[in-house]
Amino acid sequence: MSGTASTSYRERNSTADRALDILLMFTDTHLVVSGTAVAERLGVARSTAYRYLQSLVNSRFLEEAPGGGFRLGLRVMEIARLARRSYGLSEVALPAMTTLAEDVRETVLLTRRTGELVVCVDRAEAGTGAVRISYERGSTLPLNAGAAALVLLAWIPDEDARRLLESADLRRFTPATLTDVDTLMQRLAHIRRAGYSVTRGELDADVMGVAAPVRDEKQQVVAAVSIAALASRVFPEAEAELARKVQETAREISERLTAVGG
Amino acid sequence: MSGTASTSYRERNSTADRALDILLMFTDTHLVVSGTAVAERLGVARSTAYRYLQSLVNSRFLEEAPGGGFRLGLRVMEIARLARRSYGLSEVALPAMTTLAEDVRETVLLTRRTGELVVCVDRAEAGTGAVRISYERGSTLPLNAGAAALVLLAWIPDEDARRLLESADLRRFTPATLTDVDTLMQRLAHIRRAGYSVTRGELDADVMGVAAPVRDEKQQVVAAVSIAALASRVFPEAEAELARKVQETAREISERLTAVGG
DNA sequence: ATCAGAGTCTTGTTTTACAGGACAATAGGT
DNA sequence: ACCTATTGTCCTGTAAAACAAGACTCTGAT
């Protein structure tokens, strides 16, 4: 891992970093950016920004938006498909997730953690729910709220989990959101003993979640399977049953994963 | 599938281009790349390649693969979600596509063209088909084969279509694949008159497709809707009926698109 | 007609990214 | 135990590549 404690990070702004940073400017509310905005954000001359933009357009990571500006290009979708395949999770997990979704008639999610963020890698939905729990592939979730995030933290070394939680900005989403690191750490210990997590209204007031860990051939936790349901539809007495089912599904996926990996 | 283009142009490789090129090294058969392979492919020193790699890992476009090497990171899935939203197609199109898929009990695709490539942007699948037509989001299709590709070419100026077809490498996928530019151009004219396209076994011997154009508020063709079905399940007499239904769906999507855009 | 903003190019200057090589750690082969 | 081939990290002097500035075109608004 790290050679010494002092990680002398190089000046974070190389040419490549800046080009990549452009891709990070896009958000749900900012689907189109202009060259001038890019120059400003990057702190470079306009001509320089356009040079980057050209590289990105040439490789189709960006395309010109109708009516001016730039938006994300189809290349992004191409490599996203490959990214999904890279993890080796989806092919194996999706059938089991679909079965679970149909069984409990709720949305089932497969998530992975990257740094301080949890990303939805796959989703299975029950046929015709009146209310939609709308997490898509690529949606990001916070570290401190949601059943899946807690599971993904529970099985890494405590010191790592603490460091992550301390460096992340723990936003409050609802009155029930946990933002205190010590409280969260206790919660993780509890989850580790139980083997699953249950949350209620910590991320979205009306939603509850139940999650369990997926392990690879080395028994490392590499993902989480979770059920996301309208909180009012699931009485506390029913939680145990859901937990059993998610754990069962997670175990099934883990087994197939080790079978493939070995 | 086809290998990527062989090492060719060292013409205008800026630093940003090279960093981006790393992302293009990944293919279905090459889900993990090593630093040495990157250096070789880019034609730079190993230390330089690793510098790029660090930038990509820091921004989470890549992550270290278990057991060495690098693979695509979760950031790619994050921005792919945004890319999908950028086009404003999916939200509007998916309900209509699902309806069509359930009606005809076949796979329905939404595709866009970028340069010499057609990319699947969305998909709706009939519940429980025994045979799966397995195009996913992000899958790429050639310009010269498949009903959708022909539709996407038919409504751009003839000279542009010809130039695209001439510069693309028109591979032969089956005996029925068209690779002659003049023949293809005649085909496009025919499709333009008919308002839809039908192909049989030109891309995959056992598959047939029917496609129709989706237009934005300016009446520009921005996407194609297509039905992909097992060829043996669809008799020639049934083609007209399918064509009518795809056109109807495409028109419906176009109308909602103009309603939103205006 | 005028203005503001987007996007494109060229040029001279110097900043920045490069190659090469030393180094550590790991895995496989003998 | 050895040796060899890999992967990934870090440092330094050099020179090549990227930079800022500004001139230019083309829009669409007012």
Side-chain angles (χ1 to χ4, degrees):
Chain A
M1 299 293 185
S2 57
T4 51
S6 65
T7 30
S8 65
Y9 263 100
R10 65 179 303 96
E11 294 264 354
R12 260 207 100 265
N13 263 356
S14 71
T15 300
D17 281 315
R18 283 197 289 268
L20 259 13
D21 275 347
I22 293 178
L23 261 14
L24 305 187
M25 288 182 64
F26 294 89
T27 66
D28 274 292
T29 54
H30 246 104
L31 262 17
V32 175
V33 305
S34 76
T36 310
V38 169
E40 201 169 319
R41 156 81 170 252
L42 260 41
V44 298
R46 246 157 39 94
S47 56
T48 304
Y50 277 109
R51 194 153 36 79
Y52 293 144
L53 255 0
Q54 264 188 356
S55 288
L56 288 159
V57 170
N58 282 339
S59 47
R60 301 199 214 285
F61 281 98
L62 296 183
E63 58 184 42
E64 303 185 31
F70 300 83
R71 64 181 180 191
L72 292 164
L74 288 171
R75 176 129 268 155
V76 174
M77 300 193 69
E78 287 178 45
I79 63 175
R81 185 181 130 263
L82 298 173
R84 195 171 91 101
R85 292 201 53 199
S86 295
Y87 311 137
L89 284 168
S90 300
E91 289 97 338
V92 164
L94 209 47
M97 287 168 62
T98 305
T99 305
L100 177 61
E102 282 167 1
D103 178 12
V104 300
R105 313 239 22 106
E106 299 287 357
T107 297
V108 173
L109 263 30
L110 184 70
T111 44
R112 280 190 60 206
R113 183 183 62 84
T114 169
E116 304 168 4
L117 228 47
V118 172
V119 180
C120 172
V121 171
D122 248 307
R123 177 185 73 158
E125 216 167 64
T128 53
V131 180
R132 289 266 205 84
I133 311 281
S134 65
Y135 296 115
E136 309 177 81
R137 251 184 230 164
S139 292
T140 58
L141 302 160
L143 261 197
N144 62 317
L150 297 181
V151 157
L152 291 169
L153 281 177
W155 278 273
I156 62 177
D158 257 21
E159 60 209 59
D160 293 349
R162 180 176 284 278
R163 193 161 28 76
L164 277 169
L165 286 170
E166 274 164 356
S167 61
D169 64 325
L170 305 181
R171 279 189 53 208
R172 174 175 299 284
F173 299 93
T174 72
T177 305
L178 298 183
T179 57
D180 178 62
V181 174
D182 289 317
T183 314
L184 280 160
M185 292 303 297
Q186 286 175 15
R187 186 86 175 267
L188 296 186
H190 178 74
I191 291 167
R192 209 176 304 130
R193 281 193 302 273
Y196 65 89
S197 71
V198 181
T199 62
R200 273 195 177 262
E202 293 174 23
L203 179 54
D204 185 305
D206 304 312
V207 177
M208 66 85 61
V210 187
V214 173
R215 297 164 187 277
D216 67 3
E217 59 269 30
K218 299 192 193 76
Q219 296 304 310
Q220 296 291 314
V221 173
V222 292
V225 186
S226 56
I227 298 176
L230 249 199
S232 57
R233 276 203 293 242
V234 180
F235 294 108
E237 307 89 71
E239 285 174 4
E241 175 71 359
L242 284 184
R244 201 186 53 73
K245 288 181 172 173
V246 203
Q247 281 185 287
E248 176 56 33
T249 302
R251 200 177 313 121
E252 195 184 325
I253 295 170
S254 302
E255 270 161 26
R256 288 196 219 164
L257 218 48
T258 65
V260 171
Chain B
M1 293 296 187
S2 76
T4 48
S6 51
T7 56
S8 36
Y9 317 114
R10 192 96 329 208
E11 199 174 283
R12 57 158 52 203
N13 259 359
S14 69
T15 299
D17 282 316
R18 284 197 289 268
L20 259 13
D21 275 347
I22 294 178
L23 261 13
L24 305 187
M25 288 181 64
F26 294 88
T27 65
D28 275 292
T29 53
H30 255 104
L31 262 16
V32 175
V33 304
S34 76
T36 310
V38 170
E40 202 169 319
R41 158 80 170 252
L42 259 42
V44 299
R46 240 157 41 89
S47 55
T48 303
Y50 276 109
R51 195 154 36 81
Y52 291 143
L53 255 1
Q54 264 188 357
S55 288
L56 288 159
V57 169
N58 281 340
S59 47
R60 302 198 212 286
F61 281 98
L62 296 184
E63 57 183 42
E64 302 186 31
F70 300 83
R71 65 182 179 191
L72 291 164
L74 288 171
R75 176 128 268 155
V76 174
M77 299 192 69
E78 287 178 44
I79 62 175
R81 185 181 130 264
L82 297 174
R84 195 171 91 101
R85 292 201 52 198
S86 296
Y87 311 138
L89 284 168
S90 300
E91 289 98 337
V92 162
L94 210 47
M97 287 167 62
T98 306
T99 304
L100 178 60
E102 281 167 0
D103 178 13
V104 300
R105 312 235 30 100
E106 300 287 357
T107 298
V108 173
L109 263 31
L110 184 70
T111 44
R112 280 190 60 207
R113 183 183 62 85
T114 169
E116 304 168 4
L117 228 47
V118 171
V119 180
C120 172
V121 172
D122 247 306
R123 178 185 73 159
E125 218 168 62
T128 53
V131 180
R132 289 265 207 82
I133 310 282
S134 66
Y135 296 114
E136 309 176 81
R137 250 183 233 165
S139 293
T140 59
L141 301 160
L143 260 197
N144 62 317
L150 297 182
V151 158
L152 290 169
L153 281 176
W155 277 275
I156 62 177
D158 257 22
E159 61 208 60
D160 293 350
R162 180 175 285 277
R163 193 161 27 78
L164 278 168
L165 286 169
E166 274 164 356
S167 61
D169 64 326
L170 306 180
R171 280 189 52 208
R172 175 175 297 284
F173 300 92
T174 72
T177 305
L178 298 182
T179 57
D180 178 62
V181 174
D182 289 317
T183 314
L184 280 161
M185 292 303 296
Q186 285 175 14
R187 185 86 174 267
L188 296 186
H190 179 74
I191 291 167
R192 208 175 306 129
R193 280 193 303 273
Y196 65 89
S197 70
V198 180
T199 63
R200 273 197 177 261
E202 294 173 24
L203 180 53
D204 184 305
D206 304 313
V207 177
M208 66 84 63
V210 187
V214 174
R215 297 165 188 276
D216 67 3
E217 60 268 31
K218 300 193 193 74
Q219 296 304 311
Q220 296 291 314
V221 172
V222 292
V225 185
S226 57
I227 298 176
L230 251 197
S232 57
R233 275 203 294 241
V234 180
F235 295 107
E237 307 88 70
E239 285 174 4
E241 175 72 359
L242 285 184
R244 200 185 53 74
K245 288 181 173 173
V246 204
Q247 281 185 287
E248 176 56 33
T249 302
R251 198 175 316 121
E252 194 183 328
I253 295 170
S254 302
E255 269 161 27
R256 289 196 218 165
L257 219 48
T258 65
V260 170

